[in-house]
Amino acid sequence: MLSQELRRLPGVARGIAEAAVDAVEAARARDAEGLREAADRLAAADSEHVGLVLGSVVRALLEDLHPDGLAGEDIQDVLEQCVRETLSWTGELDVDTLVVVLTGALGVHQQEDGEPRPDPRRLAWHAPVLLAYLLMVSNRRLDPYLTAAFAEIMRAETVEMP
């Protein structure tokens, strides 16, 4: 269920928020079918905005978990623990896609020339899995992070307008 702030978002943004909340809740509940359905809704939305929102939430959670800075070992630990946790309930995890989600959120993913872009459906499945893991280990709620991500995107888009 969306918070009051997220319910006030315009149509497309609200749809992204609803699908993100549903996907993360399904991943937390280890509901593979519910996750697939919500991830399909995320993948059908504006992929640029979905990536910005989910990437922003992943980055903010990582920064909160590692206030003194994120080291390579921290990233490796997050990946290993998330993989272990996810594989305990589904075999659909693709480690390479999870790495793309994590490194993309941190702004360090380098797309090679000619390399195909990752499948939006796979990204839309893996980002909520990573978020569910980060929320579990941080004992935090998703809504404040989503609200902040949308606020930042709207602020940036308003600043960019002539």
Side-chain angles (χ1 to χ4, degrees):
M1 177 174 275
L2 292 182
S3 68
Q4 197 68 356
E5 293 88 356
L6 292 174
R7 277 189 237 135
R8 291 186 194 124
L9 291 170
V12 172
R14 188 174 53 252
I16 291 171
E18 288 171 347
V21 167
D22 291 348
V24 171
E25 286 178 0
R28 290 182 90 170
R30 298 176 170 208
D31 175 5
E33 183 59 33
L35 175 57
R36 269 191 298 281
E37 290 171 8
D40 285 346
R41 289 181 11 236
L42 276 172
D46 178 347
S47 63
E48 180 182 340
H49 283 103
V50 170
L52 285 172
V53 169
L54 298 181
S56 177
V57 174
V58 167
R59 187 173 47 261
L61 277 163
L62 286 168
E63 288 170 354
D64 285 355
L65 280 166
H66 303 279
D68 295 331
L70 195 62
E73 298 84 35
D74 299 322
I75 295 168
Q76 184 69 30
D77 186 51
V78 166
L79 281 171
E80 288 175 6
Q81 295 302 318
C82 182
V83 166
R84 189 171 294 124
E85 168 64 24
T86 305
L87 288 177
S88 73
W89 61 274
T90 182
E92 293 183 51
L93 180 76
D94 176 67
V95 176
D96 291 336
T97 304
L98 188 63
V99 169
V100 168
V101 169
L102 181 57
T103 58
L106 296 172
V108 295
H109 177 70
Q110 298 293 320
Q111 181 95 14
E112 298 292 327
D113 289 338
E115 181 182 356
R117 293 185 54 94
D119 178 359
R121 290 183 71 199
R122 294 178 70 79
L123 294 172
W125 188 93
H126 286 76
V129 165
L130 180 58
L131 285 171
Y133 169 75
L134 292 171
L135 290 165
M136 178 187 70
V137 297
S138 68
N139 200 30
R140 308 262 167 107
R141 292 180 37 251
L142 178 60
D143 279 5
Y145 289 94
L146 273 177
T147 300
F150 279 109
E152 178 59 26
I153 290 167
M154 285 191 269
R155 185 199 63 74
E157 288 180 350
T158 302
V159 169
E160 290 176 6
M161 293 181 129

